[in-house]
Amino acid sequence: IETPPLHVVRDKLLFEFPYAQAVIDFVLSDLVGRATVGLHPVIIWGPAGSGKTRYCRRLVDLLGVSAWRTDASRSDGAVFAGTDRRWYTAEPCHPFLAISRARHANPIVIIDEIEKAGTRSDYGRFWDCLLGFLDSESAGRYMDPALQITVDLTHVSFIATANSLDPLPAPLRDRFRTIEFPEPRAGDLDALLPAAIADYATDRQMDARWI
């Protein structure tokens, strides 16, 4: 998917998230001069309720690429990295499934609350398996355990959200850029309400005029 006009994307994000200009510019700077959409791995962290997850969703929508969402608290390495073909539950790795569903090579994988991933290693820690997808050399020749072939995942981008960076291991922090997402101010309420009401109506399948 080709990179859209960045000034248009930036203006729309600033209209909806006027308090997060630093984050918007930080993430979009990756796309300057790029012909196609591709972001370096980034963790957007900040207090709960600040709008991190909604910002990620809107960013992906405006860039025109598909999103694959993963809840880190419910994931483990065996699932995300792919299940071996010998098991009846065999399934390709999630980044490949993201490409397959999107029908294009550069979807964005959104990882919610990455700091809450389980730490048990019975089936491989989610944090550990993620490292292989963040390194371009490994991602370019990833041996999928279900497909039993080498797949190229280098065009897949990763955006993670977190309330805190403290639990994350050092190797994972080294591969992600990090930026803090601020809390909205009282003066931002008028800008936030229309989008919040629209989301509320969509989630509950209501006509927004009733709210």
Side-chain angles (χ1 to χ4, degrees):
I1 300 297
E2 294 182 355
T3 303
L6 294 182
H7 68 282
V8 175
V9 176
R10 182 177 186 271
D11 288 347
K12 289 182 178 179
L13 288 174
L14 279 175
F15 178 76
E16 296 183 36
F17 305 93
Y19 58 98
Q21 179 177 339
V23 178
I24 293 168
D25 290 342
F26 180 80
V27 175
L28 292 182
S29 66
D30 260 1
L31 298 172
V32 175
R34 284 190 58 98
T36 57
V37 174
L39 301 171
H40 292 99
V42 59
I43 297 176
I44 299 173
W45 67 280
S50 58
K52 303 182 299 295
T53 300
R54 187 173 181 282
Y55 163 77
C56 294
R57 191 170 72 243
R58 288 295 294 138
L59 172 68
V60 171
D61 289 344
L62 293 171
L63 291 177
V65 296
S66 178
W68 178 279
R69 292 187 62 181
T70 294
D71 184 346
S73 64
R74 299 180 182 180
S75 298
D76 60 48
V79 174
F80 191 84
T83 313
D84 197 283
R85 180 184 288 182
R86 63 185 172 177
W87 302 106
Y88 75 92
T89 54
E91 183 179 71
C93 65
H94 283 199
F96 180 83
L97 291 177
I99 293 174
S100 177
R101 186 179 72 177
R103 311 297 295 179
H104 59 77
N106 56 340
I108 293 179
V109 174
I110 299 175
I111 304 170
D112 287 324
E113 299 186 319
I114 190 172
E115 83 281 14
K116 294 181 181 176
T119 56
R120 290 182 57 179
S121 57
D122 308 36
Y123 302 103
R125 289 198 313 172
F126 177 71
W127 290 338
D128 296 335
C129 88
L130 194 55
L131 295 175
F133 297 109
L134 302 176
D135 178 77
S136 58
E137 188 169 335
S138 301
R141 295 190 296 270
Y142 184 76
M143 176 57 72
D144 188 272
L147 300 175
Q148 293 291 297
I149 59 171
T150 300
V151 293
D152 182 0
L153 306 171
T154 51
H155 299 287
V156 180
S157 299
F158 293 85
I159 300 178
T161 65
N163 294 332
S164 170
L165 299 176
D166 293 339
L168 299 177
L172 199 64
R173 290 202 209 185
D174 289 343
R175 286 168 174 78
F176 274 100
R177 299 178 305 152
T178 63
I179 187 166
E180 184 175 5
F181 199 88
E183 288 187 286
R185 302 156 302 207
D188 300 319
L189 187 60
D190 287 343
L192 293 172
L193 270 177
I197 289 174
D199 280 351
Y200 187 92
T202 299
D203 290 344
R204 290 157 182 77
Q205 299 183 337
M206 295 174 61
D207 188 321
R209 290 174 296 180
W210 287 106
I211 302 173

